[in-house]
């Protein structure tokens, strides 16, 4: 079955960096685009970044463009989100996502940006 497991969240000061990882299993990872979403307290889930199946193209929400980088390693069945210049408004639970007939989600990883 499809499984997505995020890791790498934590507490970081404003201006700092964090790298998130998502390990995927149960499907042919190399043929699917992947996405990172986030959900802040009291808000809906927001698409942060997406990447094509072969990693050749990426897209970002305007709020993170230039600060976040999504990447995909098909040999390791993993997708990553490098987050730099973090702001308090980046505080959220971050989720890895793949669509295979329907949405599949990981359990999420908490990112807290605070001094």
């Amino acid at each position: 079955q499809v499984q997505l497991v995020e890791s790498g969240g934590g507490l970081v000061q404003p201006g700092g960096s964090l790298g998130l990882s998502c390990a995927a299993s149960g499907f042919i990872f190399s043929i699917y685009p992947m996405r990172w979403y986030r959900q802040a307290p009291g808000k809906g889930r927001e698409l942060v970044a997406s990447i094509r199946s072969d990693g050749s193209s990426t897209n970002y929400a305007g709020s993170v463009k230039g600060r976040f980088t999504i990447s995909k390693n098909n040999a390791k069945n993993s997708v990553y989100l490098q987050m730099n210049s973090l702001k308090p408004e980046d505080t959220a639970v971050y989720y890895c996502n793949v669509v295979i007939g329907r949405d599949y989600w990981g359990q999420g990883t908490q990112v807290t940006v605070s001094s």
Side-chain angles (χ1 to χ4, degrees):
Q1 69 278 23
V2 174
Q3 283 195 315
L4 301 169
V5 180
E6 301 95 337
S7 62
L11 173 64
V12 63
Q13 292 188 342
S17 297
L18 272 179
L20 305 183
S21 299
C22 172
S25 61
F27 63 102
I28 305 172
F29 183 78
S30 62
I31 67 172
Y32 289 97
M34 297 295 296
R35 298 170 183 84
W36 283 98
Y37 283 78
R38 68 184 179 187
Q39 187 165 18
K43 295 189 176 182
R45 201 164 288 193
E46 172 193 21
L47 177 61
V48 174
S50 60
I51 188 166
R52 287 185 62 171
S53 58
D54 61 358
S56 62
S57 179
T58 58
N59 282 287
Y60 298 93
S63 57
V64 308
K65 196 171 292 185
R67 301 188 297 121
F68 290 13
T69 302
I70 187 172
S71 60
K72 192 174 188 271
N73 187 328
N74 286 337
K76 294 187 176 182
N77 282 10
S78 294
V79 61
Y80 308 97
L81 187 68
Q82 178 63 38
M83 306 183 294
N84 299 327
S85 302
L86 282 160
K87 305 176 181 180
E89 51 264 42
D90 295 318
T91 295
V93 179
Y94 284 72
Y95 297 92
C96 181
N97 168 270
V98 66
V99 178
I100 308 174
R102 68 167 180 91
D103 283 291
Y104 288 89
W105 303 93
Q107 83 286 355
T109 186
Q110 176 70 48
V111 171
T112 302
V113 185
S114 175
S115 54

